[in-house]
Amino acid sequence: MYDVVIIGAGMAGLTAGIYAARANLRVKILEEKGFGGQIVNSLNVENYPGFSSISGFALAKLFYDQAISLGCDIAIEKVIEIKDHSVITNKQEYNAKTIIIASGLNVRKLGLEKEDVLVGKGISYCATCDGNFYKDKNVLVVGGGNTALEDALFLSNIAKKVYLMIRRDEFRGNQVLVDKLENIDNVEIIKNALVKSLIWDDCLKGVTYQQGDREDELDIDGLFVAIGRIPDSDYLKNIVKCDKDGYVLSEECETSKDYIFVAGDIRTKNLRQVITAASDGALAATKAIKYLLENK
């Protein structure tokens, strides 16, 4: 029986583990892939206090090492199901007095050859994380929703040229954002177009795209993919309340079950950054500690 089982070893899950372990709790952290979450794909992180610049992997490794040093037991296992106070993985079952959900999001990818290889070498899924690396350079944002529109607006203040490509004739996002973009000199909107392939050697050099019957190329330094993210929450069906998109409904990192807490990108929130993930992890662990003290 563990005092707390944490699902996910991203920045939220690792922080939760650190706080829980410091409270002398028995902690199990379950992670399907590897520690750190999406931040490990960032070549440099410049918006985490205390570090003017650090690689995403190096920052995640600091979190991981601290969690291990405090006694957190971390296992690479895929969570299949939660049943009451039991967490069932592809390997075994763990009994838990409390559970913290921190399994994060999976980004939607374009599905292009070498896309994974070029992450951090010209391809990003987070403009606010990586935008500053493209100061006075040419970038392309792909997507038609609010995230893509906001990314393009953000990048227009940094990049020399911002191309915004959508596969339809109209945006799905807020018209107010569209109107703003249409009046920015260094933003060019490309409609009814799809990226077909990546041009690269050691890093991204450009893309080829299809627009109607015409195929063309764009010389760009950065490609920001904003076609959606998918909460890793399939295993939570009928366990805690989620919104229509699969995000866990939460208030102050609490869920609809009094012994289950949530932290990081998988919960309903306005800002998804490393610092808010860490904040969530601390709060979720503190809530779990309080629950354990009240239910001895």
Side-chain angles (χ1 to χ4, degrees), residues 143-145 149 166-173 175 178 182 189-192:
L149 296 172
I166 60 170
R167 62 179 180 172
R168 300 181 176 89
D169 187 52
E170 295 182 352
F171 288 95
R172 292 179 288 107
Q175 187 60 43
V178 176
E182 289 177 339
I189 297 172
I190 305 172
K191 296 182 178 181
N192 300 307

Side-chain angles (χ1 to χ4, degrees), residues 139-143 148-149 151-152 155 162-165 222-226:
V139 299
L140 167 64
V141 178
V142 176
L149 296 172
D151 284 356
L155 292 165
V162 178
Y163 298 96
L164 175 58
M165 185 178 295
L223 168 60
F224 292 86
V225 182

Side-chain angles (χ1 to χ4, degrees), residues 130-168:
D130 301 325
N132 283 325
F133 301 119
Y134 298 90
K135 184 175 176 61
D136 298 325
K137 296 183 178 181
N138 297 330
V139 299
L140 167 64
V141 178
V142 176
N146 281 334
T147 298
L149 296 172
E150 290 167 356
D151 284 356
L153 280 170
F154 176 79
L155 292 165
S156 70
N157 293 313
I158 299 169
K160 178 182 178 182
K161 177 78 173 185
V162 178
Y163 298 96
L164 175 58
M165 185 178 295
I166 60 170
R167 62 179 180 172
R168 300 181 176 89

